[in-house]
Each structure stands twice: as C-alpha cells, then as structure tokens.
Amino acid sequence: MTNFSKNIPRLYLVKISKWFNMVMPIVVLFYQSNNMGMQEIFVLKAIYSIAIVGMEIPSGWMADVWGRKKTLVLGSILGSLGFLIYSFSYGFWAFVVAEVILGIGHSFVSGADSAMLYDSLKADKRTDKYVREEGRITSVGNFSEAIAGVVGGLLAAISLRTPFYFQFAVAAIAIPAALTMIEPKIHSTEHIHSVKKMVQNIRNTFVTNHNLRVAILLSSVTGTATLTFAWFVQPFFKAIDLPVELFGVFWTALNLTVGISTVFAYKVEEFLGRRWSILLVIALLSAGYVFSGISISYWGLGFLFLFYLVRGLATPIFKNYINQYTDSEVRATMLSVRNFIIRIAFAGIGPLLGWITDNISLNKAFLLAGIIYLVAAIAVTLPWLRIKKEEK
C-alpha cells in the first residue's frame, strides 16, 4: 500500500526553496547598481504581479487536470530558471524576462502545493491532520525567510550579485523534491478537462456552494490584510527612527513569530472551534492594524508582533476551511482562486493606502486598512457567525 505521507517532507523542501529568499534584503541596491531608478523598480514588480495574476487560476486548473506533481515540477523549474537569468543579466528588460518567468513559476506552485498536501493526507485517511501539517510547512517557510534575510546580507558583502547565485541553487532544490513525489489518485465524478468546465466550477463556487464561497472569501480577505500589513512594516520602522541595522533583526523576529504560531494553529482551532477561531482572528488582526496606527512608537512594535502572531494562526486554519468544502478534482483551482483574489484585492487597495501614507499619514493608513478588513471579514463570514451550533 502506497504511503502518500512521504510527499510531506518533499513539500517542506518546496516551501524552503520558495521562502529561503536571500535576495530580498539587497534587491533594491542590486537594481540601483544596474542603473535602475525607483520608478523602474516598481514597474518591474508590477509586471511580476501581473504574471502571477494572469496564470494563477489557469495554473490551478492545470494542477487539477494535468496533476499536482507535474505542475509542481514545472513551477520549480521556472522558479530556478528565473534566478539563473537574474544571475547573469544586466538591465531592465533582462530583469523583466526573469520576473515574468518567476511569476509564472510561482503560480504553478501556488495552490498545487496545498492541494498535494491535502490529497496526500486524504489518500492516507488523515485529513484531520491537515491544519497541523499545513501549519508546520508554513512555519518552516517563515523560519526559512527569517534565516535567509541574515544570510543574504552576509553574501551581499561579497557582491550584490552573489546572493542570486546562491538563490538559484536553493530554488533548484525544489526540482528533485517535486520529481520524487507520488501523485494521489483523484476520483473525479465528472469531466474537468476543459476551460468551459473550469469556468463553470468557479462560477458554481460563488453561486451554489455557499460554504466554499464563504471559506474562499474569508481566506482571501485575511490573506490580503496580511500581505498589505507586510508593506507597512518598513515604513513603521522608519517612522519610529529604528536604526537601519536593526531592520533585519526585527524583520527576522517577526517572521519567527509567524513560524512559531503556525505550529500551534491546529491546537487553537481544536480548542476554540470554528466560530470562535474566526472571531479571534478577525478581532486581533483588526486590533493589530488599529493599535499599530495609534502607537507609532517603540511601544507599537508589540502590536506588530501581535499581528504576525495571529497571522500564523489564520493561514492554515482558513485554508483548511477551503479544503473541507472542495472536491479533490478542483482543489488546486479553488486554492488558486483564493490567491487570485488576494492579488487583485491588494492591487486595488495597496495604491490607495500608499497614497494615504505619503500624503496624509502612516497612522491614518493603518486605521483605514484595519477598518476595511474588519468590515469585509465580518461581511463575508456573517452567515457562519450567525450559526449558533457549529457544523461537525
């Protein structure tokens, strides 16, 4: 009998290859050393986001039709190729090619990895362990990101291009990890091998499958809030006059906080149950925004850590709700819908909050973001929150 749980250690390696990002601490300096201004840098990152959004749902559909393993292999190859191009390229247009390849590669892994995890556990009749395993894998990713920030800074002392050489090697780890996975058998009850069926499945999600719609929207709204908050962290550090040399230290500490809390996410959800888990996450994430905005000072750093602590709980718990209401043959597609909504929502709200930060104040941007999240999260989950007796 095949033990599909053997896929889990390989999923750890895929996560590490994505999150052990050594170029982030020095990437702006790297671009500037290649004669790029900040406007070009932002355009480059916009192109990356467009590449992700353009392929997010199609890649999820391909994972359902073509197989999670093949999709993960392709995404891993593209992720490595993008950094290889960066390693030997100079100038904006060469970097555009690398960013497009990295964005597409990210899309092929995103969604397919969580679908592979859930269906591997399902094949072994262990779906009750999903939140725990998703939490552990997410935790490893956050620990990797924290350590990579330090390593990348040290490698940059050699040259600003050196972290890219090492990043290519780390990204390539995902290729053999994906190649050696075992594809769980998906018992499909209907044909899904058409774009028409993909569109129909997505439409049905938001029209007929009430619980799945709520689960996707809740996870998407929360994912947008956590992604947005991450872009406020460095302006917050700057606003309180934190020494630049401590930016990396606190960035690492915040990511370690997420890594620790994700490990215990499944215990929190088991103890509180669905209704109170949702209320706790919504309340504390909103409070993290509001109190960070009110307390832009060294004392306010505590609210940043509160937000990151709760962020670690939210991701695996809310992803699990999506998996509970999704059939295996469309699981990766539905998870990709979640990621697609996050990217679109962030693209809409990010520039507005950025304008408020530049032209009004950082604390007003924090407060508005917190209010938007609170209202949106309660609105999408109101049907669940009204239920007095939880579904078992």
Side-chain angles (χ1 to χ4, degrees):
M1 182 177 178
T2 305
N3 181 6
F4 291 97
S5 294
K6 290 180 180 179
N7 288 333
I8 295 176
R10 293 164 174 81
L11 287 168
Y12 277 96
L13 292 176
V14 171
K15 178 67 75 171
I16 290 170
S17 73
K18 284 178 60 181
W19 287 54
F20 198 92
N21 195 329
M22 294 172 282
V23 307
M24 282 304 294
I26 53 85
V27 70
V28 172
L29 295 177
F30 173 79
Y31 289 143
Q32 290 174 338
S33 71
N34 283 274
N35 301 314
M36 289 175 59
M38 287 304 297
Q39 182 179 2
E40 286 182 302
I41 293 172
F42 281 117
V43 169
L44 191 64
K45 292 306 167 183
I47 291 171
Y48 174 74
S49 293
I50 292 170
I52 292 176
V53 167
M55 286 302 298
E56 189 64 66
I57 295 177
S59 65
W61 172 72
M62 289 179 67
D64 289 326
V65 174
W66 194 26
R68 288 89 161 94
K69 176 179 176 178
K70 292 178 182 177
T71 310
L72 287 169
V73 170
L74 178 57
S76 300
I77 291 172
L78 291 174
S80 304
L81 179 60
F83 284 112
L84 181 63
I85 293 173
Y86 255 123
S87 298
F88 299 100
S89 297
Y90 298 83
F92 177 78
W93 289 109
F95 297 158
V96 166
V97 174
E99 287 291 311
V100 170
I101 291 173
L102 286 171
I104 295 173
H106 176 91
S107 296
F108 275 105
V109 173
S110 173
D113 51 359
S114 292
M116 174 65 87
L117 172 61
Y118 193 89
D119 284 329
S120 296
L121 292 170
K122 184 177 181 180
D124 288 341
K125 297 179 172 58
R126 296 176 59 229
T127 54
D128 59 311
K129 305 297 183 184
Y130 173 79
V131 175
R132 184 186 71 181
E133 296 298 340
E134 181 73 54
R136 287 177 176 176
I137 292 175
T138 303
S139 176
V140 166
N142 288 112
F143 283 129
S144 298
E145 185 178 16
I147 297 170
V150 178
V151 175
L154 295 174
L155 290 174
I158 301 173
S159 77
L160 292 174
R161 196 169 289 270
T162 301
F164 285 90
Y165 299 146
F166 282 82
Q167 194 63 52
F168 164 68
V170 171
I173 293 173
I175 299 175
L179 281 169
T180 53
M181 289 183 189
I182 306 169
E183 186 80 47
K185 184 178 290 185
I186 300 173
H187 300 285
S188 177
T189 57
E190 54 184 327
H191 294 291
I192 59 171
H193 297 70
S194 69
V195 175
K196 180 180 179 181
K197 191 62 189 178
M198 177 189 73
V199 174
Q200 182 181 339
N201 283 327
I202 295 173
R203 184 188 65 196
N204 288 345
T205 296
F206 293 96
V207 176
T208 62
N209 194 331
H210 165 74
N211 285 319
L212 182 55
R213 179 175 70 248
V214 174
I216 288 177
L217 290 175
L218 171 61
S219 186
S220 300
V221 167
T222 303
T224 304
T226 58
L227 176 61
T228 303
F229 195 93
W231 288 101
F232 278 130
V233 171
Q234 290 189 29
F236 185 96
F237 289 166
K238 185 177 180 181
I240 65 173
D241 294 322
L242 187 73
V244 175
E245 56 269 23
L246 293 180
F247 275 41
V249 174
F250 277 91
W251 183 258
T252 297
L254 287 169
N255 281 291
L256 289 175
T257 301
V258 177
I260 292 170
S261 63
T262 53
V263 174
F264 300 101
Y266 75 101
K267 291 187 177 181
V268 172
E269 207 269 346
E270 286 178 357
F271 178 75
L272 294 176
R274 174 189 296 170
R275 188 166 186 268
W276 288 107
S277 294
I278 292 172
L279 286 171
L280 177 71
V281 169
I282 292 175
L284 292 183
L285 289 185
S286 301
Y289 263 114
V290 172
F291 288 111
S292 294
I294 293 174
S295 307
I296 298 182
S297 64
Y298 274 90
W299 290 106
L301 288 169
F303 296 111
L304 266 62
F305 281 94
L306 170 66
F307 188 96
Y308 272 71
L309 180 73
V310 183
R311 171 187 168 185
L313 301 177
T315 300
I317 291 175
F318 290 175
K319 270 191 179 180
N320 186 49
Y321 295 156
I322 297 174
N323 282 308
Q324 287 176 352
Y325 295 108
T326 305
D327 294 328
S328 291
E329 61 265 24
V330 293
R331 191 179 313 285
T333 301
M334 293 302 110
L335 289 167
S336 288
V337 169
R338 167 195 179 268
N339 297 329
F340 177 85
I341 294 173
I342 290 173
R343 288 284 173 178
I344 290 294
F346 176 75
I349 194 174
L352 170 63
L353 295 174
W355 182 89
I356 292 173
T357 302
D358 291 336
N359 295 280
I360 303 178
S361 67
L362 177 60
N363 72 306
K364 292 295 190 300
F366 265 119
L367 293 172
L368 178 61
I371 292 170
I372 291 174
Y373 171 66
L374 178 62
V375 172
I378 291 178
V380 301
T381 57
L382 202 57
W384 278 359
L385 297 176
R386 282 174 173 169
I387 298 174
K388 295 181 180 180
K389 185 177 181 181
E390 297 178 18
E391 295 180 18
K392 299 294 183 183

Short mmCIF file of all heavy atoms in Angstrom, two decimals, residues 294-316:
data_model
loop_
_atom_site.label_atom_id
_atom_site.label_comp_id
_atom_site.label_asym_id
_atom_site.label_seq_id
_atom_site.Cartn_x
_atom_site.Cartn_y
_atom_site.Cartn_z
N ILE A 294 -2.26 53.72 16.01
CA ILE A 294 -2.35 54.63 17.15
C ILE A 294 -1.00 54.79 17.84
O ILE A 294 -0.65 55.88 18.30
CB ILE A 294 -3.40 54.13 18.15
CG1 ILE A 294 -4.81 54.21 17.54
CG2 ILE A 294 -3.36 54.93 19.45
CD1 ILE A 294 -5.89 53.60 18.39
N SER A 295 -0.24 53.70 17.88
CA SER A 295 1.01 53.69 18.65
C SER A 295 2.22 53.58 17.74
O SER A 295 2.93 52.57 17.73
CB SER A 295 1.00 52.52 19.64
OG SER A 295 -0.15 52.52 20.44
N ILE A 296 2.45 54.61 16.92
CA ILE A 296 3.65 54.61 16.08
C ILE A 296 4.81 55.07 16.94
O ILE A 296 5.19 56.25 16.98
CB ILE A 296 3.46 55.49 14.83
CG1 ILE A 296 2.31 54.93 13.99
CG2 ILE A 296 4.73 55.53 14.00
CD1 ILE A 296 2.04 55.67 12.71
N SER A 297 5.35 54.10 17.67
CA SER A 297 6.44 54.34 18.62
C SER A 297 7.10 52.98 18.89
O SER A 297 6.67 51.96 18.36
CB SER A 297 5.90 54.91 19.94
OG SER A 297 5.04 53.96 20.55
N TYR A 298 8.12 53.00 19.72
CA TYR A 298 8.77 51.72 20.06
C TYR A 298 7.79 50.79 20.76
O TYR A 298 7.86 49.57 20.63
CB TYR A 298 10.02 51.97 20.92
CG TYR A 298 11.26 52.23 20.09
CD1 TYR A 298 11.60 53.55 19.72
CD2 TYR A 298 12.07 51.20 19.68
CE1 TYR A 298 12.73 53.80 18.97
CE2 TYR A 298 13.21 51.44 18.92
CZ TYR A 298 13.53 52.74 18.57
OH TYR A 298 14.65 52.97 17.81
N TRP A 299 6.86 51.36 21.53
CA TRP A 299 5.85 50.54 22.19
C TRP A 299 4.95 49.86 21.15
O TRP A 299 4.45 48.75 21.37
CB TRP A 299 4.99 51.40 23.13
CG TRP A 299 5.73 51.87 24.33
CD1 TRP A 299 6.19 53.14 24.58
CD2 TRP A 299 6.13 51.09 25.47
NE1 TRP A 299 6.83 53.21 25.78
CE2 TRP A 299 6.82 51.95 26.36
CE3 TRP A 299 5.99 49.75 25.83
CZ2 TRP A 299 7.35 51.53 27.57
CZ3 TRP A 299 6.51 49.32 27.04
CH2 TRP A 299 7.18 50.21 27.89
N GLY A 300 4.75 50.54 20.03
CA GLY A 300 3.88 49.99 19.00
C GLY A 300 4.44 48.75 18.32
O GLY A 300 3.70 48.02 17.65
N LEU A 301 5.74 48.49 18.49
CA LEU A 301 6.32 47.27 17.93
C LEU A 301 5.61 46.02 18.45
O LEU A 301 5.51 45.02 17.76
CB LEU A 301 7.82 47.19 18.26
CG LEU A 301 8.74 48.17 17.51
CD1 LEU A 301 10.13 48.16 18.13
CD2 LEU A 301 8.81 47.80 16.02
N GLY A 302 5.10 46.12 19.68
CA GLY A 302 4.40 44.99 20.25
C GLY A 302 3.16 44.62 19.45
O GLY A 302 2.80 43.43 19.34
N PHE A 303 2.48 45.63 18.87
CA PHE A 303 1.29 45.35 18.07
C PHE A 303 1.65 44.74 16.72
O PHE A 303 0.86 43.97 16.15
CB PHE A 303 0.47 46.62 17.90
CG PHE A 303 -0.07 47.16 19.20
CD1 PHE A 303 0.40 48.36 19.72
CD2 PHE A 303 -1.02 46.44 19.91
CE1 PHE A 303 -0.09 48.84 20.92
CE2 PHE A 303 -1.52 46.92 21.12
CZ PHE A 303 -1.05 48.12 21.63
N LEU A 304 2.84 45.06 16.21
CA LEU A 304 3.31 44.40 15.00
C LEU A 304 3.49 42.90 15.28
O LEU A 304 3.08 42.05 14.48
CB LEU A 304 4.64 45.00 14.53
CG LEU A 304 4.58 46.11 13.48
CD1 LEU A 304 3.84 47.32 14.02
CD2 LEU A 304 5.99 46.50 13.03
N PHE A 305 4.07 42.59 16.43
CA PHE A 305 4.28 41.19 16.78
C PHE A 305 2.95 40.48 17.04
O PHE A 305 2.79 39.30 16.71
CB PHE A 305 5.20 41.07 17.99
CG PHE A 305 6.65 41.23 17.65
CD1 PHE A 305 7.29 42.47 17.75
CD2 PHE A 305 7.40 40.14 17.21
CE1 PHE A 305 8.63 42.62 17.43
CE2 PHE A 305 8.74 40.28 16.88
CZ PHE A 305 9.36 41.52 16.99
N LEU A 306 1.97 41.20 17.61
CA LEU A 306 0.64 40.62 17.80
C LEU A 306 0.04 40.25 16.46
O LEU A 306 -0.51 39.14 16.30
CB LEU A 306 -0.27 41.63 18.51
CG LEU A 306 -1.77 41.25 18.56
CD1 LEU A 306 -1.97 40.01 19.41
CD2 LEU A 306 -2.60 42.42 19.09
N PHE A 307 0.14 41.15 15.50
CA PHE A 307 -0.43 40.89 14.18
C PHE A 307 0.22 39.66 13.55
O PHE A 307 -0.47 38.78 13.02
CB PHE A 307 -0.23 42.10 13.27
CG PHE A 307 -0.96 42.00 11.96
CD1 PHE A 307 -2.21 42.58 11.80
CD2 PHE A 307 -0.40 41.32 10.88
CE1 PHE A 307 -2.89 42.48 10.60
CE2 PHE A 307 -1.07 41.21 9.67
CZ PHE A 307 -2.33 41.79 9.53
N TYR A 308 1.54 39.58 13.59
CA TYR A 308 2.25 38.46 12.98
C TYR A 308 1.97 37.15 13.71
O TYR A 308 1.93 36.08 13.10
CB TYR A 308 3.75 38.74 12.92
CG TYR A 308 4.15 39.47 11.66
CD1 TYR A 308 3.81 40.81 11.45
CD2 TYR A 308 4.85 38.82 10.66
CE1 TYR A 308 4.14 41.48 10.29
CE2 TYR A 308 5.21 39.47 9.49
CZ TYR A 308 4.84 40.80 9.31
OH TYR A 308 5.18 41.45 8.14
N LEU A 309 1.75 37.23 15.02
CA LEU A 309 1.38 36.05 15.79
C LEU A 309 0.06 35.48 15.29
O LEU A 309 -0.08 34.27 15.05
CB LEU A 309 1.28 36.41 17.28
CG LEU A 309 0.91 35.27 18.24
CD1 LEU A 309 2.08 34.33 18.41
CD2 LEU A 309 0.47 35.84 19.58
N VAL A 310 -0.94 36.35 15.12
CA VAL A 310 -2.26 35.91 14.67
C VAL A 310 -2.22 35.52 13.20
O VAL A 310 -2.94 34.60 12.77
CB VAL A 310 -3.30 37.02 14.91
CG1 VAL A 310 -4.69 36.56 14.50
CG2 VAL A 310 -3.30 37.44 16.37
N ARG A 311 -1.40 36.18 12.41
CA ARG A 311 -1.23 35.80 11.00
C ARG A 311 -0.82 34.33 10.88
O ARG A 311 -1.31 33.61 10.00
CB ARG A 311 -0.17 36.69 10.35
CG ARG A 311 0.25 36.28 8.96
CD ARG A 311 1.41 37.11 8.47
NE ARG A 311 2.01 36.56 7.27
CZ ARG A 311 3.10 37.04 6.68
NH1 ARG A 311 3.70 38.10 7.20
NH2 ARG A 311 3.59 36.48 5.60
N GLY A 312 0.04 33.89 11.77
CA GLY A 312 0.48 32.50 11.75
C GLY A 312 -0.64 31.52 12.05
O GLY A 312 -0.62 30.37 11.58
N LEU A 313 -1.63 31.95 12.82
CA LEU A 313 -2.79 31.10 13.11
C LEU A 313 -3.76 31.08 11.93
O LEU A 313 -4.34 30.04 11.60
CB LEU A 313 -3.53 31.61 14.36
CG LEU A 313 -2.75 31.69 15.67
CD1 LEU A 313 -3.63 32.29 16.76
CD2 LEU A 313 -2.26 30.30 16.10
N ALA A 314 -3.96 32.24 11.31
CA ALA A 314 -5.01 32.38 10.30
C ALA A 314 -4.77 31.56 9.05
O ALA A 314 -5.71 30.92 8.54
CB ALA A 314 -5.15 33.87 9.93
N THR A 315 -3.56 31.56 8.52
CA THR A 315 -3.32 30.94 7.21
C THR A 315 -3.69 29.45 7.17
O THR A 315 -4.50 29.04 6.33
CB THR A 315 -1.86 31.14 6.78
OG1 THR A 315 -1.59 32.55 6.69
CG2 THR A 315 -1.61 30.50 5.42
N PRO A 316 -3.14 28.60 8.03
CA PRO A 316 -3.50 27.18 7.95
C PRO A 316 -4.95 26.89 8.32
O PRO A 316 -5.58 26.02 7.72
CB PRO A 316 -2.53 26.50 8.92
CG PRO A 316 -2.09 27.57 9.86
CD PRO A 316 -2.10 28.83 9.06
#
